[in-house]
Amino acid sequence: MPSSWKSAVLVLLLIGGLPALAAEPRANTSLDVEVPDVELVDQTGRTVKLWTDLVRGHTVAINFIFTRCKTICSPMTATMARVQKELGTGSNVRFISITLDVANDTPERMAKFAEPFKPGPGWSFLTGEPAKVKQALVALGGYVPDKEAHRPTVLVGNAVSDTWTRVDGLGSPSTLLAAVREAEAASSGPSELEPQEADARAQDAASARYFTNTELVDQHGKTHRFYEDLVRGRKVLINFAFTSCKGACSPITKHLAQVQEKLGGRVGKDITMITLSVDPANDTPKSLGVFTQKMGVKPGWYFLTGARENISLVLKKLGGYVVDPDAHNTTLLIGDAATGMWVKSPAMARVENIVYAVEHLNDPR
């Protein structure tokens, strides 16, 4: 790698941690749970693997519901929503609700059921093929022949320490919160993982805390969780722009379109390109869509906007936040959250240099 790149290492300090919240004590019950890696479908229509995509490396709270339920499902979901809100946007805890009525509960119906509870990022409402849903329910202790007879329990676990317990889903939110906190704490104890795997999980958890799963919206109007959907498990190129810019934004975008061309089919697979709007008040998905069409942007490159507080949070994490959009920086960040290796470059650096930096990012130095 050229020496100029060696001096461009950008250290992103991964700091995190959740505020301590008071909660009433709860008796612990240890369970033996093996989570199957079945493919299910979430409320957005996205196919996810239960273990690989949702549970592995995380603390989780899982309940079992169905959308036509007239009794306990809504109160249980409300309790889960209260706990997720208490944990805050920086939490790495996953919430999972699995249907007991796969014949009726389509992704669209699951999304409609979830809407009144305002679930945050990291909460998946799951349905899918009957056999796969049943396999998940049986493994997690949620299966019942008659859905109307299901119990109001929440399975709380930590996949790192492999500790699991069940909590009354109709109990107070503080009781469930205490169980979640206890499960989180379990991951800091001794681990039987191989050192390399333990390091990888620790890196993933730290990256998730730092980058957050803040929801942003792309040029097509699709909502993404920033870390899990766009950063995790791939190399990323990140820059900052806005559509009404009269200076550097258009030339930079055209230049990076050449980088995308050189990287080829990898963009959208193991490489993601991200442009964050520094003017969310004016940059709507529609205006971003028009801008990207003019610039020749191809799939795998996401132009992101969203609620001001959401986009501002991510911009501040990445050093791209400015009060005046015209004062935004023209830095290009290139990184891999899995390895923790990040470099920065002028966005107008030679195309060949940028491509080289991406392809050799994790080379030994």
Side-chain angles (χ1 to χ4, degrees), residues 82-103:
R82 173 71 181 276
V83 171
Q84 187 184 46
K85 184 177 180 181
E86 289 288 339
L87 288 169
T89 57
S91 172
N92 197 33
V93 176
R94 300 281 184 81
F95 290 79
I96 300 170
S97 296
I98 304 177
T99 183
L100 295 160
D101 186 13
V102 68

Side-chain angles (χ1 to χ4, degrees), residues 80-296:
M80 294 260 282
R82 173 71 181 276
V83 171
Q84 187 184 46
K85 184 177 180 181
E86 289 288 339
L87 288 169
T89 57
S91 172
N92 197 33
V93 176
R94 300 281 184 81
F95 290 79
I96 300 170
S97 296
I98 304 177
T99 183
L100 295 160
D101 186 13
V102 68
N104 176 72
D105 286 344
T106 61
E108 294 78 13
R109 286 176 176 166
M110 295 292 275
K112 186 175 181 181
F113 174 85
E115 187 176 357
F117 304 101
K118 296 180 172 57
W123 192 341
S124 301
F125 288 76
L126 301 176
T127 184
E129 296 177 15
K132 293 179 179 178
V133 171
K134 183 176 180 180
Q135 183 181 350
L137 292 172
V138 170
L140 300 174
Y143 177 75
V144 286
D146 178 7
K147 58 184 179 292
E148 300 287 353
H150 76 286
R151 293 173 294 174
T153 58
V154 180
L155 178 65
V156 177
N158 185 296
V160 177
S161 61
D162 196 25
T163 55
W164 300 87
T165 187
R166 296 193 195 281
V167 180
D168 181 4
L170 295 178
S172 69
S174 60
T175 301
L176 178 56
L177 180 62
V180 170
R181 290 292 194 199
E182 186 175 323
E184 282 188 300
S187 65
S188 61
S191 173
E192 296 181 1
L193 296 173
E194 292 294 327
Q196 186 175 359
E197 185 177 358
D199 288 346
R201 290 190 180 187
Q203 177 67 44
D204 181 61
S207 296
R209 285 195 302 271
Y210 186 84
F211 293 104
T212 78
N213 277 317
T214 303
E215 288 189 337
L216 300 177
V217 184
D218 71 15
Q219 68 267 36
H220 306 295
K222 183 177 180 181
T223 299
H224 301 272
R225 297 168 294 186
F226 187 68
Y227 177 66
E228 291 187 15
D229 295 340
L230 300 177
V231 176
R232 185 184 197 187
R234 66 205 79 181
K235 294 178 180 177
V236 293
L237 294 82
I238 304 173
N239 76 306
F240 315 100
F242 64 109
T243 60
S244 61
C245 176
K246 303 301 182 183
C249 299
S250 291
I252 285 175
T253 305
K254 290 178 180 178
H255 186 71
L256 293 179
Q258 297 178 47
V259 173
Q260 184 180 31
E261 187 72 27
K262 286 284 186 181
L263 291 171
R266 294 183 63 186
V267 179
K269 294 181 181 177
D270 64 318
I271 297 173
T272 297
M273 297 179 67
I274 298 170
T275 297
L276 292 165
S277 171
V278 294
D279 186 18
N282 296 300
D283 282 347
T284 63
K286 183 177 180 180
S287 66
L288 288 171
V290 172
F291 182 78
T292 56
Q293 286 181 349
K294 289 180 180 178
M295 297 295 125

Side-chain angles (χ1 to χ4, degrees), residues 1 235 341 354-365:
M1 176 176 287
K235 294 178 180 177
M341 179 57 65
I354 294 175
V355 171
Y356 185 94
V358 174
E359 293 179 340
H360 298 271
L361 180 66
N362 293 315
D363 286 358
R365 286 168 169 78

Side-chain angles (χ1 to χ4, degrees), residues 278-338:
V278 294
D279 186 18
N282 296 300
D283 282 347
T284 63
K286 183 177 180 180
S287 66
L288 288 171
V290 172
F291 182 78
T292 56
Q293 286 181 349
K294 289 180 180 178
M295 297 295 125
V297 170
K298 295 180 179 179
W301 186 352
Y302 301 88
F303 282 67
L304 301 174
T305 186
R308 178 177 290 276
E309 60 272 21
N310 286 7
I311 195 79
S312 295
L313 173 62
V314 176
L315 287 169
K316 288 175 181 178
K317 292 285 187 180
L318 297 171
Y321 178 78
V322 287
V323 175
D324 177 7
D326 285 312
H328 78 284
N329 73 55
T330 56
T331 298
L332 175 67
L333 304 180
I334 304 170
D336 185 342

